[in-house]
Structure formats: structure tokens, C-alpha cells
Amino acid sequence: MANDDANLMWLEKYRPKTFNDVLSQQDIIVTILRFVNSNSLPHMLFYGPPGTGKTSTILACAEHMYGTNFKSMVLELNASDDRGIDVVRNEIKDFCSTQRIFATGVKLVILDEADAMTSAAQMALRRIMEKYTTSTRFCLICNYANKIIPALQSRCTRFRFGPLKEEDIRLRLGQIAEREGVVFEKDALETIIQLSQGDMRSCINILQSTFLSSGKVTCSTVYENTGNPSNEEMEQIMDWLNEEDDFSSCYDKVKKMKAERGFALIDILRQIHKRLLTRNMSRRAKAYLLEKLADIEHQFAFGGSELLNLCSLIGSFQIMKTLEVLDAAP
Ligand SMILES: Nc1ncnc2c1ncn2[C@@H]1O[C@H](COP(=O)(O)OP(=O)(O)O)[C@@H](O)[C@H]1O
Ligand SMILES: [Mg+2]
């Protein structure tokens, strides 16, 4: 490891530099390469969950297309830059309308986290995309395609980035751990993969932060560092939810553990969800509980309260138990 790299975040250090380094998105890359090689790159919209390689793919694409001309041919704006209507009218327009004397081919504007742009700015962008379409291509990047106004969506070829394959993550994460001299348990990598749900950024972050704070990466240091309940703690919570018939006593126990260990309800929910899927129970009771979990998660997305939602979770288990009794009756 070079000294310069010593303090670099592993995320940046291990960001894919070329198309070959990008994992799990082969179909997209094959398509993009076909466009590039036939000089017919369209405007593009990359969308999908975080940490799946959207930014890395367009940077690798730009590197492939421009090499040393990268700086003069690419305008890259992300959420930390101001992207109101003035930026669209001035900065982007200036870039598009300036002639590049020595370079040939189309220029590229990358608008990362484009869902943060106001609709007015998106509308202004539509005109600019049309006007400079012979000389400039746009790549818009966001998590949800529907945050982009339809008029822009329809001008772009859409690429959906899905979560990474577990086997790809396993291999890359293992390589990073070895190159960085991390002492790790194999199971700990599995835990990181399960907690991250296909988000490579999250995997690398957990690996690095657990290593830096605990020295070695084991299942329990991973749970500890991410603030997630361990398997034993989850079993305990499941027991309370399943066995405790008194509502307020169940509430007190879970609430106490949550407070003492600093768990977030959303992390507990995810683990309950995983356990429920494989659990043997009546169809109606399972369907009921899964639907409730989805409702509670939805509440959270809009800022619902932890403790009220904890009550809702406990209540759902109580009703689920009633349903199971009814379904078991002859
Ligand atoms: N498909 C991928 N292949 C390899 N590494 C990836 C991939 N996706 C994400 N990463 C890792 O996660 C980090 C963030 O990736 P990025 O391309 O910024 O994701 P996104 O833009 O989809 O949120 C990168 O530095 C890289 O280390
Ligand atoms: Mg990104």
C-alpha cells in the first residue's frame, strides 16, 4: 500500500476505475459500450438504490471516452453544488455552448443526484438538452426515476442499477480486507453483506469503520459498530414479542433494551422481517404481519415516532397471535 493512500477512505481508494472493476452491472456496461463504440451515445438516466455503482459507471465511461481530455470534456455537478435554475442557465449552458478546439466528439454533462434539482431547473434543462443535442450528452443520476420530470425522462435512455450480487460483494470485500490487512471472521463478512442489502458503499464503510474502531472484524464487532442487535439480542426481542401476552410489559422490555443498547427500531424491523419470511406460521397471520411491517417502515420514511411505531409493532404481534389461534381451530 502506498503511503499516500494510507489515509484515503477505502470507498475512494476502491472506487472502480474502469468498466472492468464495476461489479454486477455487466448488462448495462455492455449496452453503454455498444453506444460509445458506434458514436451514438444517447442522453442517459441512471437510477437505483445507493451504492450500486451509478456514479462509478459514468466516471469509468467518461474516462474510457476522453482519457486525458476528461477535464475539458466533462462537466460534473453533484448535490453539493448549487443546482438551481441559475446554474442551469449559466454554468451548464456555458459549458454546452463553448467550442472545444482540440477535441472531437460530444461533451458530457453529469448531473449526479439529479433528484435534488428543482422542477424549474429541470424544465430549464430540457430546453438546453434539446438545443445542444448535437454537441453534448447528459447523464442524470438519481435514486428514484420518478423524481425526474417526465419531459426529461422521455429524452433519456433509462438504466436501472440493481443491488449487487452477494457473490460479487463477497469476493471484492474479501480482497479489500486482505489488502488492508484486516483480521476478520468469515461469518463477519456475511453479516456485513446481510446488513447492507446489496449496497457496496455500505459494505465498505462498515468494514473500514469496524476495523478502525475495534481492530478486528467479527460478527459481534460488526453488530456493535453498526448499532444493530446481535443474533442473541434479536432472539430475545422475538421471544418477548411472541411470548409476552401483556402489552405494557412487552413494551417496557423492548423499550429498555432499545434505550440501553442504542438500537433503532428500523434495524430491528429489518431483522424481524428476515426471520418472519422463513418462519412456519399460518398464511393469514404471516401475511398480516408482513403487511404491518411494511406499513411501519413506510411511517418511518415520513418521520414517524420510534415509540409509537414500537407500540404498533407489539400490537401487530398480538393480533397475529390471535389470528394464529383462530386459524388453528378446527
Ligand atoms: N457495481 C460496483 N462495483 C464495484 N464497486 C462498487 C459498485 N457500486 C458501488 N461500489 C463501491 O461503492 C462506492 C460508491 O459507489 P457509487 O458508484 O458512488 O454508487 P452510487 O452512485 O450508485 O451510489 C464506490 O466507491 C465503490 O467502492
Ligand atoms: Mg452516486
Side-chain angles (χ1 to χ4, degrees):
M1 191 171 76
N3 267 346
D4 298 357
D5 286 351
N7 297 320
L8 206 61
M9 289 278 297
W10 294 356
L11 271 183
E12 284 315 315
K13 191 169 168 189
Y14 295 101
R15 181 186 282 285
K17 307 267 179 318
T18 68
F19 281 136
N20 284 337
D21 302 329
V22 178
L23 303 169
S24 300
Q25 312 294 4
Q26 268 68 26
D27 292 351
I28 294 176
I29 288 170
V30 167
T31 310
I32 293 178
L33 269 174
R34 205 174 292 143
F35 285 135
V36 171
N37 292 337
S38 58
N39 280 326
S40 56
L41 193 74
H43 299 305
M44 296 183 288
L45 172 61
F46 288 2
Y47 66 103
T52 52
K54 299 180 296 298
T55 305
S56 305
T57 300
I58 195 61
L59 292 178
C61 177
E63 193 64 45
H64 175 89
M65 285 167 61
Y66 306 117
T68 51
N69 288 330
F70 188 107
K71 280 223 158 65
S72 64
M73 296 298 278
V74 181
L75 175 67
E76 193 191 350
L77 296 173
N78 60 41
S80 52
D81 305 306
D82 177 18
R83 281 176 312 174
I85 192 155
D86 292 341
V87 172
V88 174
R89 289 212 184 107
N90 302 324
E91 197 171 342
I92 299 182
K93 199 167 165 206
D94 279 354
F95 174 80
C96 294
S97 56
T98 315
Q99 297 275 346
R100 296 288 177 272
I101 304 169
F102 300 111
T104 54
V106 291
K107 290 174 286 186
L108 180 67
V109 177
I110 302 172
L111 291 169
D112 211 339
E113 292 156 74
D115 30 6
M117 293 176 79
T118 61
S119 331
Q122 293 192 32
M123 286 305 276
L125 187 63
R126 185 182 78 155
R127 292 271 307 116
I128 293 183
M129 266 167 98
E130 243 159 36
K131 188 158 176 208
Y132 296 101
T133 201
T134 48
S135 64
T136 312
R137 293 294 174 274
F138 285 79
C139 179
L140 310 183
I141 306 181
C142 61
N143 293 133
Y144 301 101
N146 61 10
K147 294 276 178 64
I148 304 296
I149 59 169
L152 281 185
Q153 283 190 47
S154 68
R155 284 168 172 74
C156 296
T157 301
R158 295 157 54 123
F159 293 94
R160 183 180 181 279
F161 284 66
L164 271 67
K165 291 194 209 107
E166 286 193 4
E167 63 261 33
D168 288 342
I169 300 184
R170 190 171 295 125
L171 199 70
R172 178 68 53 89
L173 209 55
Q175 288 166 346
I176 295 177
E178 260 159 42
R179 289 214 16 206
E180 297 294 338
V182 177
V183 182
F184 66 96
E185 279 174 2
K186 225 167 156 219
D187 282 354
L189 293 197
E190 293 310 310
T191 304
I192 295 178
I193 294 170
Q194 293 311 323
L195 290 175
S196 299
Q197 302 181 313
D199 174 345
M200 190 67 187
R201 179 187 288 110
S202 158
C203 286
I204 298 177
N205 267 334
I206 298 177
L207 183 72
Q208 184 170 25
S209 61
T210 308
F211 176 62
L212 287 182
S213 58
S214 305
K216 58 178 189 263
V217 178
T218 64
C219 290
S220 59
T221 58
V222 167
Y223 285 128
E224 192 77 24
N225 275 284
T226 53
N228 271 280
S230 67
N231 280 332
E232 295 74 43
E233 285 163 329
M234 260 328 288
E235 290 307 323
Q236 175 65 78
I237 293 174
M238 290 303 277
D239 280 351
W240 288 331
L241 289 169
N242 285 317
E243 315 293 338
E244 188 65 76
D245 282 331
D246 181 54
F247 194 105
S248 60
S249 129
C250 180
Y251 175 69
D252 288 342
K253 286 174 179 164
V254 182
K255 186 175 144 199
K256 183 158 175 275
M257 182 190 262
K258 250 174 75 28
E260 281 174 357
R261 308 278 296 114
F263 298 146
L265 189 58
I266 192 76
D267 292 327
I268 298 178
L269 274 185
R270 291 215 178 93
Q271 300 227 29
I272 293 177
H273 177 253
K274 208 172 68 196
R275 286 171 158 74
L276 277 185
L277 284 178
T278 52
R279 179 162 141 184
N280 203 0
M281 61 198 288
S282 97
R283 209 185 279 200
R284 179 162 65 143
K286 190 187 261 191
Y288 171 79
L289 208 46
L290 288 172
E291 189 184 340
K292 282 292 167 194
L293 289 184
D295 283 349
I296 298 174
E297 206 222 24
H298 185 76
Q299 290 292 330
F300 264 116
F302 294 96
S305 122
E306 286 265 326
L307 291 180
L308 277 181
N309 276 299
L310 173 59
C311 290
S312 171
L313 177 70
I314 296 170
S316 311
F317 269 81
Q318 303 281 359
I319 295 181
M320 175 276 289
K321 283 183 273 187
T322 313
L323 289 176
E324 277 223 298
V325 172
L326 286 175
D327 290 345

